[in-house]
Amino acid sequence: LKNRAKKKQRSKKMNSILLLAFEYMKIGAVAIGGGYTVIPFLYYLVDKYKWFDVSEITQMIAVSNLTPGPIGINMATFVGLKVGGFWGSLLTTTAFMVPSFIIVCALSKFLKKNAENELICNVMYGLRPAAVALITYAGLKIMNATVFHLSKFKQTHKFFDFISPKSLVLLILFCIAGFIFRKNPMILIVAAIVIG
């Protein structure tokens, strides 16, 4: 009976790993514009599968920023490790990279030949606002999870119930340090981890 339960648990874990790898393969095919464009897809995974919760996304972003390598790949590794251990991280990271690799290889020669084509230039120009929109969406979702808790405001309608004063002060201080004093983002991330 114990062996059957263990086999069932292993099978469930493997199914979760394969499903996560498939989801990350889809994300890798459409996440254009850098690692931060992956963040909205993480919220989608939270809503759909409940493999991790919203508060863990900010931890994933912090760890992904501190570890060497591209943020999107680091986040894929982190999510894979959380869901399926070593094999989950390996499979998820690979699944995330494969579509991008294939698309870049397939398009590189085509784009080189048609670099002056007006239609292609317009398409590439149109991808910029889409990437900015995804990054902005991710930033707003993170701010809602850490500073403003709008779901609480809908319930109580009291200003101080839905805002985290400590997080708001930190947000303002880090914005001042980054935008006005031009401090290195890595220093700000390390400082945020220490303070947090």
Side-chain angles (χ1 to χ4, degrees):
L1 203 61
K2 280 184 179 181
N3 285 341
R4 190 178 292 171
K6 281 183 181 179
K7 279 183 181 178
K8 193 173 182 181
Q9 191 175 13
R10 261 189 255 135
S11 175
K12 188 176 177 183
K13 187 176 181 179
M14 184 52 78
N15 287 342
S16 293
I17 291 170
L18 292 173
L19 186 59
L20 180 64
F22 177 70
E23 289 291 342
Y24 255 92
M25 190 174 280
K26 292 191 298 187
I27 292 168
V30 296
I32 298 164
Y36 290 106
T37 58
V38 172
I39 297 168
F41 298 106
L42 293 178
Y43 284 100
Y44 163 77
L45 292 178
V46 167
D47 292 339
K48 188 169 182 183
Y49 298 108
K50 311 284 189 248
W51 283 320
F52 45 90
D53 57 34
V54 171
S55 63
E56 290 177 296
I57 293 176
T58 53
Q59 294 170 355
M60 289 178 201
I61 295 165
V63 170
S64 298
N65 274 304
L66 281 175
T67 50
I71 294 166
I73 292 172
N74 291 345
M75 278 194 269
T77 305
F78 196 83
V79 172
L81 188 65
K82 173 98 176 97
V83 173
F86 171 78
W87 293 110
S89 66
L90 183 68
L91 197 58
T92 304
T93 304
T94 305
F96 179 67
M97 291 187 306
V98 165
S100 304
F101 180 76
I102 291 169
I103 290 168
V104 167
C105 288
L107 288 178
S108 64
K109 287 182 181 177
F110 176 76
L111 290 175
K112 235 178 200 176
K113 279 183 185 176
N114 300 298
E116 302 298 319
N117 186 312
E118 190 177 338
L119 179 64
I120 290 173
C121 290
N122 288 339
V123 168
M124 298 307 270
Y125 186 76
L127 288 174
R128 291 179 196 169
V132 169
L134 284 170
I135 293 168
T136 303
Y137 174 79
L140 292 173
K141 285 289 260 186
I142 292 166
M143 198 167 13
N144 182 40
T146 56
V147 179
F148 306 107
H149 306 284
L150 295 178
S151 59
K152 288 182 184 177
F153 182 69
K154 289 176 187 173
Q155 294 166 359
T156 64
H157 295 287
K158 292 180 183 175
F159 182 74
F160 289 107
D161 284 350
F162 89 96
I163 202 164
S164 169
K166 177 185 163 191
S167 297
L168 182 61
V169 168
L170 286 174
L171 174 68
I172 292 167
L173 289 175
F174 281 110
C175 284
I176 291 168
F179 290 117
I180 296 173
F181 296 110
R182 306 278 186 213
K183 293 292 179 188
N184 185 328
M186 289 306 285
I187 292 170
L188 296 178
I189 291 168
V190 171
I193 289 170
V194 170
I195 292 168

